[in-house]
């Protein structure tokens, strides 16, 4: 079955989703917006996958270190891209803020519509409510990874969080919540979504219980709650745990992975706002990353191809050359499970999960099972495989943030850009305040939010 979903949108949807993504910047909107009146209308909003599944903020990949721009490439992109790349954000890019908030606004329209619209059977209504809650929490989580400093579940959490819209009202009155309040809302939405969603969906553009468990595993891992992260993985594995053998793929194909052959995809989504960077002719894979793959590793050919000045990325999980892939894929669950076990020094079980994944990524004649004598050694190997596996998925930035914060890493990022006369050097130390991007200037002017410190 082709997992892509193509749905013709209603004229009403065009009106409904015209709730301007700028409204979270200037608190103004068109008061003549059409109000959804049927279950079909609500479903159409959710199934507008171009909008609802592609909101992931671009800087999560642009600011990380898996991709590098040549000097020519740097000077060819617009200022907001240059600023994100060199950690010199000035708050002039509004889309990275407004696109996820548009998704949140749409989900609030859906949830309010369910209270007003009484038609539809219970199963259908529960699925729509669950999908809306999933997206509301998921979009808020990604906003927090962009505009908030890293948070761990044991923190007091009184730092600056996100604005949490309570309704679809065009009048924005909420101010920034605390970090703890932000993550409490994220987890509450996803938890309720789990209770409403079916185990799996016909289309991977729609969230399911499987996807919600996987999303929660990512969220809990990000905030250092390894007990709950592992618990969420176990819930996924009760439903399914299959991996794709990369030996079955055509390594020479221009796009070896796609929606038809990548059976590991549980929920699909991407970052339309990072495509200008990922697809730039002058963007290449960091040579340090490429060197991590040995000759028996099939990902070396499946993910990369030789370009004019280095290696280009071609391992898009869904076979679509866009921005980074933000969806939920089974491989990540094996890595989360292995990391949680490593942190408990459960070496045998942790190695079992890690080796099962890696075995499906190697030439069987060249695969040598990984070993580890300590929890730290296993953790290091898990994190190495995590970097090799999760390329162009927006996760490297999240990993640097969380692992620097907890002290597992002490990684400083650096860039060098030449203008032909002078070489400009840029550095981002661990836990620097620039790990939280600035709230867009327009939002600051119109809504008087508290700005992230510098």
């Amino acid at each position: 079955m082709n997992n892509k979903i193509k749905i013709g949108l209603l004229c009403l949807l065009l009106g409904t989703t015209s709730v301007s993504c700028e409204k979270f910047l200037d608190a103004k909107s068109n008061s003549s917006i059409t109000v959804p009146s049927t279950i079909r209308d609500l479903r159409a909003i959710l199934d507008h996958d171009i909008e609802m599944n592609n909101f992931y903020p671009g800087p999560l990949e642009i600011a990380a270190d898996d991709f590098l721009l040549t000097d020519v490439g740097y000077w060819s992109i617009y200022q907001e891209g240059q600023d994100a790349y060199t950690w010199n954000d000035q708050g002039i890019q509004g889309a990275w803020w407004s696109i996820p908030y548009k998704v949140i606004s749409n989900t609030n329209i859906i949830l309010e519509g369910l209270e007003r619209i009484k038609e539809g059977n219970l199963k259908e209504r529960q699925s729509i409510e669950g999908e809306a809650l999933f997206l509301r929490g998921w979009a808020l989580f990604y906003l927090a990874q962009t505009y908030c400093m890293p948070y761990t579940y044991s923190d007091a959490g009184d730092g600056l969080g996100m604005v949490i819209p309570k309704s679809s009202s065009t009048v924005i009155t909420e101010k920034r919540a605390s970090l703890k309040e932000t993550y409490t809302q994220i987890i509450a939405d996803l938890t309720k979504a789990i209770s409403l969603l079916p185990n799996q969906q016909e289309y991977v553009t729609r969230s399911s219980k499987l996807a919600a468990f996987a999303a929660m595993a990512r969220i809990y891992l990000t905030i250092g709650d390894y007990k709950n992260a592992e618990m969420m993985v176990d819930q996924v594995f009760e439903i399914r745990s299959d991996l794709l053998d990369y030996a079955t793929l055509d390594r020479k194909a221009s796009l070896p992975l796609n929606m038809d052959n990548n059976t590991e995809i549980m929920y699909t989504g991407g970052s339309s706002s990072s495509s200008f960077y990922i697809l730039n002719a002058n963007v290449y894979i960091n040579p340090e990353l490429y060197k991590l793959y040995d000759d028996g590793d099939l990902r070396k050919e499946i993910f990369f191809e030789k370009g004019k000045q280095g290696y280009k990325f071609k391992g898009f999980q869904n076979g679509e050359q866009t921005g980074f892939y933000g969806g939920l894929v089974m491989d990540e669950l094996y890595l989360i499970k292995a990391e949680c076990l490593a942190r408990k020094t459960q070496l045998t079980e942790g190695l079992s999960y890690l080796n099962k994944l890696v075995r499906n990524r190697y030439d069987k004649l060249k695969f040598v099972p990984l070993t580890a004598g300590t929890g730290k050694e296993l953790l290091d190997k898990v994190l190495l495989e995590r970097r090799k596996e999760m390329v162009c998925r927006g996760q490297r930035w999240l990993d640097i943030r969380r692992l620097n914060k907890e002290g597992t890493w002490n990684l400083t990022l650096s860039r060098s850009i030449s203008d032909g006369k002078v070489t400009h050097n840029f550095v981002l130390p661990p836990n620097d305040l620039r790990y939280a991007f600035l709230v867009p200037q327009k939002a600051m002017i119109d809504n008087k939010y508290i700005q992230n410190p510098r």
Side-chain angles (χ1 to χ4, degrees):
M1 178 188 71
N2 190 322
N3 284 324
K4 290 185 180 180
I5 179 170
K6 302 297 181 186
I7 293 181
L9 298 179
L10 304 172
C11 291
L12 178 142
L13 170 61
L14 298 176
T16 302
T17 57
S18 69
V19 178
S20 171
C21 58
E22 295 299 320
K23 84 170 197 171
F24 246 86
L25 295 177
D26 59 18
K28 300 182 183 73
S29 184
N30 187 341
S31 61
S32 62
I33 292 167
T34 304
V35 177
S37 59
T38 68
I39 286 293
R40 186 184 177 197
D41 296 342
L42 303 181
R43 168 50 66 196
I45 298 172
L46 282 169
D47 284 343
H48 190 198
D49 54 299
I50 292 173
E51 180 171 86
M52 302 296 276
N53 292 70
N54 290 283
F55 61 82
Y56 301 81
L60 301 187
E61 199 65 68
I62 299 167
D65 61 347
D66 281 349
F67 292 86
L68 297 177
L69 276 164
T70 64
D71 293 338
V72 170
Y74 175 80
W75 296 112
S76 72
I77 62 175
Y78 60 89
Q79 183 182 344
E80 296 96 316
Q82 292 178 350
D83 291 346
Y85 186 74
T86 56
W87 316 295
N88 187 35
D89 175 38
Q90 299 177 56
I92 59 177
Q93 167 58 271
W96 297 332
W97 170 281
S98 64
I99 291 174
Y101 269 125
K102 185 175 183 182
V103 170
I104 293 173
S105 177
N106 286 344
T107 62
N108 282 331
I109 288 171
I110 293 165
L111 294 169
E112 291 165 5
L114 282 170
E115 294 180 1
R116 186 180 63 256
I117 300 166
K118 303 305 179 185
E119 67 179 29
N121 61 58
L122 179 62
K123 181 179 179 182
E124 184 178 31
R125 291 178 63 87
Q126 285 183 333
S127 184
I128 288 173
E129 182 181 0
E131 290 172 56
L133 288 166
F134 171 91
L135 277 166
R136 189 171 73 175
W138 198 223
L140 187 62
F141 171 71
Y142 270 90
L143 282 162
Q145 306 321 298
T146 311
Y147 295 103
C148 300
M149 289 298 289
Y151 167 78
T152 58
Y153 80 107
S154 58
D155 286 349
D158 52 2
L160 286 170
M162 294 306 303
V163 180
I164 304 175
K166 300 295 193 296
S167 73
S168 63
S169 171
T170 59
V171 179
I172 308 304
T173 59
E174 293 88 359
K175 298 303 180 183
R176 296 185 69 176
S178 69
L179 272 173
K180 187 175 184 62
E181 290 168 337
T182 299
Y183 281 91
T184 296
Q185 182 66 50
I186 292 166
I187 291 170
D189 277 351
L190 270 292
T191 300
K192 188 173 181 181
I194 287 170
S195 70
L196 295 166
L197 289 166
N199 279 0
Q200 299 188 70
Q201 296 269 23
E202 182 180 3
Y203 304 108
V204 292
T205 48
R206 296 177 181 175
S207 59
S208 61
K209 200 180 295 290
L210 185 76
F213 281 134
M216 288 285 272
R218 184 183 291 178
I219 292 166
Y220 280 127
L221 183 82
T222 302
I223 65 173
D225 188 346
Y226 302 111
K227 178 180 179 180
N228 276 315
E230 184 180 5
M231 189 183 305
M232 293 299 107
V233 174
D234 291 341
Q235 293 293 322
V236 171
F237 287 170
E238 284 188 13
I239 301 173
R240 53 173 282 210
S241 60
D242 52 302
L243 288 169
L244 172 64
D245 185 350
Y246 275 23
T248 64
L249 300 176
D250 179 2
R251 286 172 275 167
K252 303 300 182 183
S254 58
L255 294 168
L257 291 162
N258 56 60
M259 295 289 277
D260 291 323
N261 66 21
N262 193 352
T263 55
E264 292 186 18
I265 292 176
M266 295 174 283
Y267 177 75
T268 197
S271 169
S272 59
S273 63
S274 65
S275 59
F276 79 93
Y277 174 73
I278 301 298
L279 303 182
N280 189 297
N282 294 294
V283 167
Y284 292 91
I285 285 294
N286 188 333
E288 293 181 3
L289 171 59
Y290 184 77
K291 290 176 184 177
L292 297 177
Y293 301 85
D294 57 46
D295 290 339
D297 194 330
L298 301 175
R299 293 170 294 192
K300 193 171 186 177
E301 291 183 80
I302 290 170
F303 286 0
F304 312 114
E305 62 184 350
K306 184 69 174 173
K308 291 182 180 180
Q309 298 184 55
Y311 285 91
K312 304 289 288 182
F313 182 75
K314 66 171 185 174
F316 299 92
Q317 292 290 312
N318 58 353
E320 296 182 8
Q321 289 180 298
T322 54
F324 75 77
Y325 188 75
L328 295 157
V329 186
M330 190 62 69
D331 56 356
E332 181 181 1
L333 280 298
Y334 277 83
L335 291 163
I336 293 174
K337 179 71 173 180
E339 180 174 339
C340 293
L341 291 166
R343 291 176 180 278
K344 298 189 294 183
T345 321
Q346 293 183 225
L347 305 184
T348 301
E349 192 177 0
L351 284 166
S352 175
Y353 281 99
L354 185 59
N355 277 317
K356 184 175 180 180
L357 173 64
V358 177
R359 187 180 297 111
N360 280 281
R361 302 302 189 250
Y362 264 69
D363 180 329
K364 299 300 184 290
L365 298 178
K366 296 182 179 180
F367 172 69
V368 178
L370 299 172
T371 61
T374 66
K376 183 183 184 307
E377 186 181 359
L378 177 54
L379 179 60
D380 288 343
K381 291 188 176 184
V382 171
L383 296 177
L384 174 62
E385 288 302 324
R386 184 174 172 86
R387 186 176 188 195
K388 292 162 63 180
E389 183 73 14
M390 303 285 286
V391 183
C392 199
R393 293 180 43 194
Q395 291 301 294
R396 176 66 173 168
W397 183 251
L398 274 62
D399 285 345
I400 294 171
R401 282 164 47 100
R402 71 180 177 96
L403 294 166
N404 273 347
K405 178 175 172 56
E406 73 177 20
T408 299
W409 287 353
N410 186 34
L411 181 62
T412 295
L413 301 182
S414 62
R415 315 267 204 217
S416 293
I417 301 293
S418 173
D419 61 10
K421 297 179 180 179
V422 178
T423 297
H424 305 269
N425 297 310
F426 304 90
V427 176
L428 184 68
N431 306 310
D432 192 279
L433 291 173
R434 289 172 292 168
Y435 273 101
F437 283 76
L438 293 178
V439 174
Q441 293 174 11
K442 189 166 174 53
M444 293 299 302
I445 293 169
D446 292 338
N447 297 298
K448 306 296 190 295
Y449 298 135
I450 300 174
Q451 183 58 280
N452 291 326
R454 283 291 183 264

